[in-house]
Amino acid sequence: MTDLPIRRALLSVSDKTGIVDLARSLAQQGVELVSTGGTAKALRDAGLAVRDISDLTGFPEMMDGRVKTLHPVVHGGLLAVRDDPAHVASMEEHGIGAIDLVVVNLYPFEATVAKGAERDEIIENIDIGGPSMVRSAAKNHAFVAIVTDPADYAVVALGTTTLADRRRFAAKAYAATAAYDAAISGWFNHVDQGERFPARVTLPMIKQAELRYGENPHQIAALYAQASGGVNGVAQAHQVQGKELSYNNYNDADAALELVSEFRDGPPTVVIVKHANPCGVATGDTLIEAYQAAFACDTVSAFGGIIAVNRPLDGPTAEAISGIFTEVVAAPDADDAARAVFARKKNLRLLLTGDLPDPARRGRMIKSIAGGFLIQSRDSAGTPDLTVVTKRQPTEAELADCRFAWTVAKHVKSNAIVYAKGGSTAGIGAGQMNRLESAHIAAWKAKDAAEKAGWATPRTIGSAVASDAFFPFADGLLAAVEAGATAVIQPGGSIRDDEVIAAADAAGLAMVFTGVRHFRH
């Protein structure tokens, strides 16, 4: 038979949300309830008849609760194959009763770590009996239902389970224990032992949604969030309105959010992204001023783009954004006026993130390659101390533009060249095979923007230019001179640094070295 009645249920949960209602429903179906410690107390307090696990095993809970369910009567009741005569005989010989349902959620290990507990408390929140029961029940899912997710309580509440349900529960159960063990292993490796790259890596993730398709319609895709949480990103954002987000939407929105987060403590800032590259970034006294400046940088690429802001959206800014087709807008929040404006754009996705991610946070970045993965730490380096290497010192305004351009360049695909002036990008050259072409493209974009806006000169005149890596030759720098830049920020470190510095001096430029590069592939 695939449908089996539940005659005895073992309930042992750390998070007791919903457990009383489930137990009451099972009791109404004539199910015998067996429980442990705090769970048994909660059920008794609710007026339910509960049998203690110690009554079942004949042994008391001992060693501060470390030993209570690790007993042959428990695991024999879970693992016995009910239609195997030898197993049935063993159960009868040793007085082992069958357990048909196990409801378990585990000690809050990750929450204990997150609250900054001492090592001894963290160790005590490593669950042993719980995962053991989960695995035993899941292995014997032909006869036993294992429920680890409160969302499944309603499925078993009427006292019967199907084989399909038990198989599904078993899969979820093993995923739960795998994620739990991964969290513990991660803590031992990274925190307790200080291992940055342990011999084995397991990444627990929780599926948030299956997506319509991947980068292209013939690919399939899904969104997963980190099981440990701790970061408010695109995966955790609340979608107020609009169509379902696609793979590309998520990827571009993440790029926009990561860049605007660099300015989370700065003035109102707007980032416009297309295909994971910023096409316009600006700060302003107000959000709408910042948007107008960012949009003016590249009005063509902004069409169908992704926008992220570092302030709650207001009505006037929303009206301006609504002037062209925009795929996604991400913001910490939005006022009623902004929401009303976007409500008229049924397909526009509005994402509210609450807090913005910390750009200096630690973490890992993972890229798949044929047969494996590359894992590296996040590029969380901020703007370092700058070293002036030219005869001319930069002005305060030039230094501010250098820092702004450098911050943006960190988020532009390599080879990256970014011109900036007055807290706004003037031209961006991204993803070219050589730096000279990126410099030419960025300058051309600035000229095109000036023509479209009716400006007398492009904003590269008097700008600062950032290069994500050193100039290997002076030609890239000379292209910036031709575009009108007066200041340069770059990592330095080329064997031809002297040649590049001499070219900068000859052109009257001010140039600073960072000693840090920002390749982004």
Side-chain angles (χ1 to χ4, degrees), residues 483-519:
T486 60
V488 181
I489 182 169
Q490 60 136 321
S494 168
I495 59 173
R496 294 184 176 85
D497 273 350
D498 290 343
E499 175 187 327
V500 175
I501 293 170
D505 283 333
L509 295 180
M511 184 160 65
V512 295
F513 281 4
T514 65
V516 174
R517 80 174 187 197
H518 284 308
F519 271 164

Side-chain angles (χ1 to χ4, degrees), residues 267-280:
T269 304
V270 173
V271 171
I272 307 175
V273 161
K274 194 69 169 290
H275 296 303
N277 271 310
C279 56

Side-chain angles (χ1 to χ4, degrees), residues 247-273:
Y247 178 98
N248 292 330
N249 292 153
Y250 276 112
N251 191 50
D252 289 349
D254 177 68
L257 190 65
E258 288 278 28
L259 175 47
V260 86
S261 295
E262 300 274 2
F263 300 92
R264 69 177 190 165
D265 298 322
T269 304
V270 173
V271 171
I272 307 175
V273 161

Side-chain angles (χ1 to χ4, degrees), residues 280-484:
V281 184
T283 62
D285 292 332
T286 63
L287 210 53
I288 189 170
E289 289 179 7
Y291 171 72
Q292 290 166 341
F295 177 67
C297 183
D298 189 344
T299 57
V300 174
S301 299
F303 185 86
I306 309 287
I307 295 174
V309 302
N310 70 339
R311 292 283 190 280
L313 273 169
D314 55 74
T317 306
E319 286 283 6
I321 290 172
S322 296
I324 65 164
F325 169 57
T326 299
E327 290 273 9
V328 180
V329 178
D333 204 348
D335 65 20
D336 291 342
R339 295 181 191 222
V341 169
F342 286 146
R344 302 197 299 264
K345 299 280 187 177
K346 300 299 183 184
N347 290 333
L348 183 147
R349 294 88 154 181
L350 175 59
L351 302 181
L352 302 183
T353 62
D355 194 13
L356 294 175
D358 179 2
R361 71 188 186 278
R362 303 170 73 178
R364 293 177 292 187
M365 301 179 69
I366 302 169
K367 179 179 176 62
S368 64
I369 59 175
F373 295 88
L374 295 171
I375 301 179
Q376 65 173 344
S377 61
R378 291 187 70 256
D379 183 1
S380 55
T383 303
D385 293 334
L386 305 179
T387 303
V388 180
V389 295
T390 49
K391 295 176 182 177
R392 184 172 77 80
Q393 295 283 319
T395 66
E396 286 301 315
E398 286 174 330
L399 275 175
D401 286 338
C402 280
R403 291 190 175 96
F404 180 88
W406 181 251
T407 299
V408 175
K410 174 183 174 182
H411 294 265
V412 177
K413 300 290 186 181
S414 299
N415 288 309
I417 294 290
V418 176
Y419 294 93
K421 184 178 181 181
S424 174
T425 52
I428 300 173
Q432 298 306 302
M433 287 66 73
N434 67 71
R435 201 158 298 280
L436 178 60
E437 287 182 359
S438 289
H440 285 315
I441 289 171
W444 173 82
K445 282 183 170 290
K447 289 181 180 178
D448 186 60
E451 291 175 4
K452 287 181 169 61
W455 300 331
T457 58
R459 287 192 291 190
T460 50
I461 304 299
S463 68
V465 62
S467 173
D468 64 339
F470 61 66
F471 285 104
F473 302 96
D475 54 1
L477 181 133
L478 294 175
V481 172
E482 184 180 344

